């Protein structure tokens, strides 16, 4: 994991955005598989971000326990009631996505602070559903939720946001969602309820739709280098642990569905679907060895994967094998691996398991 690349991507994002637009760096799902604590610290050190976004109370607590004190917004819906109390204790900002949610948030804040109320209040953002169909309250019902949050003395009604469903692929639906959100903001302002921070755009929204940046953006993919023009921060590498020469017609891996077509040199890699390499890349994916692409042969197994290195006769045990990243003049991007698996890069990266060691690089060290 190249932390310098992450910081460079965030600085580039910062330069592309107006100074008034804040950046909430999304580090949910363990920082998209990159390691939430380490990437959060690196992002904060870059001086480019204003806060962090996570999916759950547990993810927020992990950052707090690591000593991070900047604003952290829980982007998911909180349940049960005790989760909101935990958010109060750890000074996490929460999301209200319904009237009942707003009521429970107000109750939790009142219970946590009680008669001996401290100066700090529970920060809350209202989530509006403008077309994603996941969580969020529709408009105009959202006006009642905003009124409930604004009336709670122990709640700081700090933000309102929505989420684009297709910013990377459908300009028409994105424009319609932005229009609905903008109309809701006008009505909130007219009622004297507009909070100080309105945000809607993920990486695609922030980069493709300047009019949808509002007061803040929530980048993920671009920061991790998974958007055109940004440098990928993550590489996935292993080493050859076993080599054998096989005759033509010899079966490889479970089921024996794949058989060598000619005399072949087969290498075994100590990585499999239990590590996060999708089984769906069996017979489709490629791996870089000594700067050359070598096909995955046979089924990816739980702990091991076989590749045909016949085109690399000098390959030997201990050689580096790159599944995501660069080697020589060749490169395999996360999106390419995802395409072989019939999925998206988000799923590939967040699927990398904890038993895969994370190595963090700074200034080439």
């Amino acid at each position: 994991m190249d932390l310098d690349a992450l910081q460079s991507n965030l600085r580039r994002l910062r330069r592309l955005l107006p100074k008034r637009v804040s950046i909430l760096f999304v580090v949910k799902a363990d920082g998209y598989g990159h390691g939430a604590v380490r990437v959060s610290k690196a992002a904060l050190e870059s001086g480019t971000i204003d806060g962090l976004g996570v999916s759950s109370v547990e993810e927020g607590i992990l950052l707090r326990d690591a000593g991070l004190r900047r604003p952290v917004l829980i982007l998911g819906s909180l349940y049960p009631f005790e989760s909101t109390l935990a958010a109060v204790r750890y000074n996490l900002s929460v999301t209200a996505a319904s009237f009942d949610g707003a009521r429970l948030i107000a109750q939790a804040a009142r219970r946590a602070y009680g008669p001996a109320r401290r100066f700090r209040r529970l920060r809350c953002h209202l989530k509006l559903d403008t077309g994603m169909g996941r969580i969020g309250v529709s408009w105009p019902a959202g006006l009642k939720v905003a009124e409930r949050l604004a009336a709670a003395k122990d709640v700081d009604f700090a933000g309102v946001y929505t989420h684009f469903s297709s910013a990377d692929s459908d300009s028409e639906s994105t424009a319609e969602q932005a229009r609905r959100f903008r109309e809701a903001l006008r009505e909130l302002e007219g009622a004297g309820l507009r909070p100080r921070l309105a945000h809607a755009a993920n990486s695609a929204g922030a980069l493709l739709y300047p009019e949808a940046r509002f007061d803040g953006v929530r980048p993920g993919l671009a920061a991790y280098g998974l958007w055109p023009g940004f440098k990928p921060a993550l590489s996935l590498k292993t080493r050859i642990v076993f080599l054998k020469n096989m005759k033509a017609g010899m079966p490889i891996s479970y089921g024996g569905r794949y058989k060598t077509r000619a005399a072949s040199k087969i290498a075994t890699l100590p990585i499999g679907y239990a590590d996060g390499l999708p089984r769906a890349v069996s017979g489709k994916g490629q791996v870089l060895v000594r700067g050359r692409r070598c096909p995955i042969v046979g089924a990816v197994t739980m702990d091991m994967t076989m590749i045909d290195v016949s085109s690399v006769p000098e390959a030997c045990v201990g050689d580096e094998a790159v599944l995501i990243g660069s080697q020589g003049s060749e490169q395999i991007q996360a999106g390419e691996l995802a395409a072989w698996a019939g999925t998206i890069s988000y799923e590939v990266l967040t699927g990398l398991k904890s038993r895969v060691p994370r190595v963090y690089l700074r200034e080439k060290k």
Side-chain angles (χ1 to χ4, degrees), residues 85-229:
L85 291 175
V88 175
R89 289 196 297 272
Y90 283 88
N91 192 27
L92 303 171
S93 302
V94 300
T95 289
S98 66
F99 188 84
D100 283 343
R103 178 176 55 80
L104 292 174
I105 286 167
Q107 289 177 1
R110 186 167 62 250
R111 179 186 296 185
Y113 297 131
R117 180 175 178 273
R118 293 170 286 177
F119 290 104
R120 190 176 72 197
R121 294 186 295 165
L122 174 59
R123 285 189 298 273
C124 181
H125 290 224
L126 169 62
K127 175 71 176 289
L128 299 180
D129 180 10
T130 58
M132 178 68 175
R134 193 166 57 179
I135 68 167
V137 60
S138 299
W139 198 262
L143 183 61
K144 293 293 184 182
V145 182
E147 291 171 346
R148 182 68 182 87
L149 293 172
K153 67 176 183 178
D154 294 308
V155 173
D156 175 9
F157 182 25
V160 57
Y161 71 105
T162 193
H163 190 83
F164 295 141
S165 68
S166 311
D168 60 344
S169 60
D170 189 336
S171 59
E172 186 174 338
S173 70
T174 303
E176 177 59 19
Q177 282 194 257
R179 185 197 66 76
R180 292 172 184 169
F181 188 56
R182 197 174 291 110
E183 178 62 29
L185 293 179
R186 279 197 290 267
E187 294 190 33
L188 284 171
E189 189 165 1
L193 295 171
R194 190 195 192 284
R196 56 186 176 272
L197 183 64
H199 48 108
N202 54 6
S203 292
L207 294 168
L208 299 178
Y209 306 93
E211 71 280 6
R213 291 167 178 168
F214 297 100
D215 305 315
V217 297
R218 305 187 304 271
L221 284 187
Y224 297 113
L226 300 169
W227 188 261

Side-chain angles (χ1 to χ4, degrees), residues 97 135 216 235 243 255 266 273 291 302:
I135 68 167
S235 298
L243 278 168
I266 305 299
Y273 59 77
M302 184 181 292

